[in-house]
Amino acid sequence: MSNTQATLPFAHQPIEGERKEPRLWIKKFGIFSHYKSEKEVRQVSLRRGLNIIWAKESTEGASGHAAGKSTFCRMLRYLIGDHSYGSDDFRVALLGEFPEGVIIGEVRINGEPWVLCRSLRTKSGDWAAEGSTYDQAFDEDVSRSDYKSFLSALHKSFITPLGVSKYPGTEKELIWQHFLPWLTRDQDAR
């Protein structure tokens, strides 16, 4: 993936709203081979608004395949609440490389930063820290809470204002994870 970003040349300038940033902004995330600051394998920063990920044209073979676009989308969704970050085969292969791996990210909800940590192996090590940033992820004095507190904040910000708690005509609860496929799209988003 390229580290360059481009701005699309829209015919009209966007309408300025009251908000200075999106209600939900995944600002930055990184993959670490271990829960140690010096073990960062890759870091990705995202701009406010729409971020489009594409692979460079290839002179050999099929362009864009196996470049990591779907993995990027799946990791991003996993950071913000998806149950998994890939197929069983992919997870086994990644854990073979990084058996103690974690994803750490900074996500902003309504302008408030959260730093999140999700284990690649087990959900028991997942945590969230409201009011903290990516650069504070390894600070000992950061007050960590259960990852579910982050999911509750997402629910309060995005589901509660809808005014409905169940899918119409059913008893099925409306939850944050129902929105995840809309936020990052790949061939497996449903």
Side-chain angles (χ1 to χ4, degrees):
M1 285 187 278
S2 172
N3 288 334
T4 61
Q5 295 179 339
T7 302
L8 295 175
F10 291 109
H12 303 285
Q13 289 297 319
I15 298 170
E16 290 295 322
E18 294 176 15
R19 279 189 296 242
K20 299 296 181 203
E21 63 184 56
R23 288 177 58 206
L24 176 66
W25 177 14
I26 298 127
K27 190 171 180 182
K28 182 188 297 189
F29 74 97
I31 298 175
F32 293 75
S33 62
H34 294 80
Y35 182 70
K36 295 180 181 168
S37 61
E38 68 275 6
K39 296 296 185 175
E40 187 174 77
V41 176
R42 171 82 44 103
Q43 182 189 112
V44 179
S45 295
L46 298 166
R47 289 184 176 189
R48 293 177 301 190
L50 179 65
N51 289 263
I52 299 172
I53 308 300
W54 75 92
K56 290 182 179 180
E57 295 281 333
S58 174
T59 56
E60 347 175 318
S63 293
H65 295 288
K69 299 178 306 293
S70 292
T71 298
F72 171 85
C73 291
R74 292 172 187 154
M75 291 287 184
L76 204 119
R77 283 196 307 263
Y78 182 66
L79 179 67
I80 59 172
D82 210 347
H83 69 282
S84 175
Y85 55 87
S87 68
D88 290 342
D89 290 339
F90 176 78
R91 288 193 318 271
V92 167
L94 188 63
L95 286 171
E97 291 290 318
F98 307 117
E100 302 301 320
V102 296
I103 299 175
I104 295 177
E106 180 180 338
V107 176
R108 296 176 66 86
I109 302 174
N110 296 318
E112 183 68 28
W114 289 74
V115 66
L116 310 171
C117 180
R118 298 215 58 200
S119 169
L120 298 179
R121 177 170 299 283
T122 174
K123 311 266 185 301
S124 65
D126 296 352
W127 56 264
E130 185 176 7
S132 298
T133 64
Y134 188 85
D135 298 330
Q136 297 171 305
F138 297 97
D139 291 356
E140 294 295 324
D141 59 341
V142 168
S143 177
R144 294 173 176 86
S145 59
D146 188 59
Y147 181 79
K148 291 177 184 175
S149 65
F150 171 71
L151 295 178
S152 294
L154 287 171
H155 189 91
K156 182 180 177 184
S157 184
F158 293 95
I159 307 296
T160 303
L162 294 175
V164 295
S165 61
K166 298 183 186 323
Y167 277 104
T170 73
E171 293 302 311
K172 188 174 183 179
E173 288 289 322
L174 188 59
I175 59 173
W176 167 250
Q177 285 80 355
H178 294 135
F179 289 87
L180 285 173
W182 295 359
L183 298 177
T184 66
R185 302 293 298 167
D186 65 19
Q187 69 266 21
D188 288 333
R190 302 280 183 255

